[in-house]
Each structure stands twice: as structure tokens, then as C-alpha cells.
Amino acid sequence: MTFGPAGRRLWRGSTRRKNRLGEDHALENNLLQLAQCLDAHDDLEIMYGKDTQLFPAMLLGRRAAVGSTFNMIADVYRTGAQALFAGDVDAVREATRSARDLVETANRFGGPAAQKALYNMVTVDCGAARPPFPAISRAAETELRALVDRYPALSAHTASTS
């Protein structure tokens, strides 16, 4: 079997250390490499880190993931995962759309800095983004707050943590 760069690193690591967990970020956007690694290393838990592609990765056998929006809208991902295994394609599409909307909005306002601002709005206050990421503008913060107010998953989470 031919592996891409992530698969080669995983293969080399698995022959030396049996406790290696995997290559989450290296496999982002490459479901073919993920599938190859899973087939070759079914004894390892390979985490997937692309929020908007969680459900296709789950179809390949992923049980664990690391992503920036998973903590913000865990209910959306949980509902999507349950729908996936129940065969409810429309509900999976809706969960994917919700994740994509959140990621796209955060990216529009500066990616990591905007995600940090969102965390502060919907979970616990975890401070400002660290360098090299600049703080978001007041205008961006106002628009993000409007997103939280409009976005049912975020608004529900805010209410449950207040």
C-alpha cells in the first residue's frame, strides 16, 4: 500500500512506539490518506481534526476527533453523529451546514482570534487570543455576538452555561 506523508510518519511511529495516537492535522482534507491509515493501523486511535469533515471521517471509522468548534457546538456534532448512524442524511447535512457556517464565520473575522472570542461568548471566558493573533475589532465582536444570538446551537449553549 502507498501512503502519503502522514501515513508514512504514522507507519514509522507505529513500528517504534505502540502508544502513538496518530496524525490529526496532517490528515486534514485528505480522506483517502485517512482511510489508508485506518486500514493499515486499526490498532491505533487516529483522531481527525477537520470540523467540517467529521461525519465523512466517521463513515471511515473515526471514533475520536480534535477540532476547534467541537466544544462550542457539541450538541450539533452529537446529533449529527446519531443521525449518521441512524441513516438520517438530511439531519447529517444540517449538522454539517451548522459546523460549516460557524467555521466560515470565524474565518471571516480572523480565524483563531474570532474562535477565541466565540469561546468567551458561549463557554467560559478563556481570555484574549495570544500572539501572533490580534484581537478582533469591536465591529467584528458585535457581529459575532449577533451570530450567537441568531445561531440556535450557540444560543442554547450560552443559556445552559449562564
Side-chain angles (χ1 to χ4, degrees):
M1 178 177 293
T2 302
F3 293 110
R8 286 191 293 275
R9 282 192 302 276
L10 187 60
W11 178 256
R12 283 193 306 269
S14 70
T15 59
R16 290 190 290 256
R17 295 188 325 243
K18 292 299 178 193
N19 64 344
R20 185 175 173 108
L21 292 179
E23 296 274 345
D24 66 326
H25 295 292
L27 293 169
E28 286 183 6
N29 293 323
N30 197 327
L31 293 172
L32 173 62
Q33 280 189 32
L34 175 64
Q36 291 170 334
C37 289
L38 291 170
D39 288 347
H41 303 287
D42 63 355
D43 59 322
L44 298 176
E45 182 63 62
I46 302 172
M47 300 176 93
Y48 197 67
K50 192 68 172 175
D51 303 34
T52 57
Q53 294 180 4
L54 175 64
F55 303 118
M58 288 178 72
L59 287 172
L60 295 174
R62 271 319 58 226
R63 296 184 311 265
V66 174
S68 55
T69 65
F70 297 149
N71 293 327
M72 280 189 263
I73 55 171
D75 291 344
V76 169
Y77 288 105
R78 195 173 8 267
T79 300
Q82 291 167 347
L84 178 74
F85 294 115
D88 186 348
V89 175
D90 291 335
V92 175
R93 274 194 198 114
E94 184 57 35
T96 301
R97 185 176 300 113
S98 294
R100 188 183 65 230
D101 289 348
L102 183 57
V103 170
E104 286 173 350
T105 300
N107 287 345
R108 193 171 74 240
F109 292 112
Q115 288 176 356
K116 187 77 169 226
L118 282 166
Y119 281 130
N120 291 339
M121 290 177 198
V122 302
T123 63
V124 297
D125 187 342
C126 51
R130 292 178 290 178
F133 304 108
I136 62 170
S137 69
R138 287 271 186 232
E141 191 171 335
T142 300
E143 285 195 53
L144 285 174
R145 174 54 67 190
L147 170 73
V148 168
D149 294 342
R150 272 193 333 267
Y151 192 48
L154 288 173
S155 297
H157 189 75
T158 303
S160 68
T161 59
S162 298

